[in-house]
Amino acid sequence: MQEALNSLNNAQQQAVQHIDGPLLILAGAGSGKTKTLTTRLAYLIGEVGIDPYNTLTLTFTNKAAKEMRHRASAMIEQHNTSMPLLCTFHKFGLLFLKFHIEKLGRANNFVIIDSDDKKRIIKRIAKEHNIDLNTAFIGSEISTYKNTLLTADEIIKKAELPDYKKIATIYKAYQQEITENNLIDFDDLLMLTYQILEQDDTLRKATSNRYQYIMVDEYQDTNELQFKLLELLASEHNNLCVVGDDDQSIYGWRGANIRNILEFSQRFKNTKTIQLETNYRSTSPILKAANELIEHNSARIGKTLVSHKGEGKAVKLFHSLDESLESRAIAREIKTLLNQGVSSDEIAVLYRINALSRSLEEGFTKEGLNFKLLGGMRFYDRAEIKDIISYFRVLANPNDDFSLERIINKPKRGLGKISLDKLKKMTFEQHCSLFTIITQNDLTMVSKKSALALKEFAKNIIILQKELTLSLHHFITLFEEMIGMKKFYGAMVDGEDKILNIDEFYGYFSEAIIKDPHLSLDAFLNDISLQSEQDQVDENAITIMSIHASKGLEFEHLYVIGLEEGFFPLLGDGCNMEEERRLGYVAITRAKSDLTLCYVNSRFYKGERKIIDKSRFLGEAGLINDTSLRITKSSEFNKGDLVKHKIFGIGRVQSSTKSGREYKLKINFGGSKREILSSFVQSV
């Protein structure tokens, strides 16, 4: 144990040896937070003599829990003691409910349903209530309500828009059904645990007294429900140690509440705060850029990373005319690194928007580079892109039943599996294609509504085929007008991202036509096939991924593309500039010694090529001395954000304006509109 303590710096040692009372370990990127947390757990058990039974350590992933358990056990195994409870929040909820769910009048032989089960139940309930809303969107909203402890009745009462009242109706019926069948979904693991502890004071005290020392990893990623649960678990002793970094809070879009870490010392009295600011990953120039960028955020506790490695190469800026030239140039530079003996595992390219991966994939393929797309699908493997390619294949060859079957009900045309099977049976009996069956039969074997939709579908295919023979330049516009892929995918939970992917594909097609006015649809499809059917790469490959997927990773040579206004940072309604800036901070601090930030003059955006400005983040990070760049400090609340006020309840932000050192928010509280200072509300 002494050897483990000696390996820590002064701040880490303070954190490890602090025993009683609330403790906030503000751990900057690359500052050894996992090492500090596991050493503290081993110190409590192996040196202080705390019974492992009385400790609880919570993480967000099973992988993190496994790694921490392994590290801690290596330090305490000499004491021949049992292992402490170290698990994810949801695993803790499952264990708790197995012992105590009867407090809610339910048996402990409940079954946990997965996301597909949840979707099927929601889809059936929606159909029974004649509600035509996207199933995935409904499921996402229900999850949000559960994680903010909002009941269906509360939503029905406060909802401004009819669609949200419909969702609340489904929510109520859904929860009633799974309760009656003794089923629980993933969100119930924590929601029901909270309800039991909140309602049963004796059990709350007993549970809190059992877990005398609680530690939480990645605390900046906790949501409202997780915070309230921790309050109950620590209520009898306040021995709560949380480790996190407010500057790496990048999951607001999925419910994480940055206020949990910003206001920790206010929520838990006599909090000791220890800052881990020594960075063991990156060189000084990289940390200087990260520090200067994040200082423009107002919603932060504040710390400055200092490099343990010291000086290194300056951060490079890479300027290209467009995305194709950018990707080819990056690929060639990476080739040079590989020829110099650099391992491809130490090289990565990050992007903010998934659609930007297409040009990278194309450029790397043409240069013969092995790459792996981490945390996502290759561009041409994404459902929305495969659907459009299938449409194109049917236009090139209407007798392509494989492609036609994929898109015959996209967008939905009311064609069920039974009806499709009947159509396929006819193709077998008549020795012809599906398209022939649709165009040359009266389709009495399917419903009248489906028959009309299929006839309309076939008519559109024929019209689009004629357009292909006339002008490819106007083809995409007509295709989208007649088929409506963006409308179809835009209604989904991740619809905005899917629309960006579709626009990227449309833009790529338009660019191909500009480069070769005589290009045929067949030739275009063949070119795509060569790119999308690249042989499976081995593990020794360059990593391409989103910034979100890169959190927790590190690379010797790092490229970040898309440093332009509208791409990084994202702009428009719903954009949270402070979270965008935190994403920039995360991206920069993934680099060990060699960081290149890339920007271009123009990209395809929403179906057309646009001239774009370089990102304000380049100026804010002190990398470009350009007075034309907008350097801003912005409100942490944006139009459309859902907020909570202790008196007025839940409301939606309609506008945000600067007011002295704060922001004045115009908020609609269920029809009652009020102007409230930002410090008096919190994100939901």
Side-chain angles (χ1 to χ4, degrees), residues 188-203:
D188 286 334
L189 290 170
L190 297 188
M191 186 183 76
L192 298 181
T193 296
Y194 172 80
Q195 287 178 357
I196 292 168
L197 288 171
E198 201 267 337
Q199 293 168 12
D200 191 324
D201 204 49
T202 301
L203 180 59

Side-chain angles (χ1 to χ4, degrees), residues 589-608:
T589 54
R590 298 311 94 199
K592 295 182 185 178
S593 61
D594 184 14
L595 172 65
T596 304
L597 304 181
C598 310
Y599 64 98
V600 299
N601 285 357
S602 75
R603 285 189 194 275
F604 262 106
Y605 185 57
K606 296 188 175 178
E608 59 180 311

Side-chain angles (χ1 to χ4, degrees), residues 410-478:
K410 291 181 182 178
K412 291 182 180 178
R413 298 183 176 93
L415 193 72
K417 185 180 183 301
I418 294 174
S419 296
L420 181 58
D421 286 343
K422 289 178 181 177
L423 290 175
K424 289 166 71 175
K425 185 172 181 286
M426 285 188 71
T427 65
F428 179 77
E429 292 171 348
Q430 298 184 23
H431 304 287
C432 62
S433 68
L434 270 172
F435 192 77
T436 301
I437 294 293
I438 294 169
T439 53
Q440 296 182 11
N441 287 270
D442 55 11
L443 304 181
T444 53
M445 77 295 294
V446 301
S447 69
K448 189 174 180 181
K449 182 180 178 182
S450 294
L452 288 171
L454 288 173
K455 290 292 184 183
E456 181 71 17
F457 164 75
K459 179 184 172 185
N460 288 342
I461 293 294
I462 293 167
I463 292 171
L464 287 167
Q465 283 179 317
K466 289 179 180 176
E467 181 67 22
L468 283 171
T469 63
L470 298 173
S471 170
L472 279 178
H473 289 284
H474 302 103
F475 168 72
I476 284 294
T477 303
L478 184 63

Side-chain angles (χ1 to χ4, degrees), residues 113-167:
I113 59 174
D114 61 23
S115 56
D116 286 337
D117 296 327
K118 180 179 175 180
K119 285 178 184 176
R120 280 196 291 270
I121 295 170
I122 290 172
K123 187 175 182 179
R124 179 172 46 74
I125 293 172
K127 189 174 182 180
E128 289 170 358
H129 286 78
N130 199 28
I131 295 174
D132 186 20
L133 291 173
N134 181 270
T135 304
F137 176 67
I138 297 170
S140 175
E141 286 296 301
I142 290 174
S143 181
T144 299
Y145 298 151
K146 288 189 176 188
N147 281 286
T148 48
L149 296 170
L150 289 169
T151 66
D153 289 335
E154 286 175 314
I155 301 299
I156 291 170
K157 183 179 178 182
K158 295 179 179 295
E160 297 176 39
L161 301 173
D163 280 356
Y164 286 94
K165 290 187 183 293
K166 292 176 183 177
I167 292 171

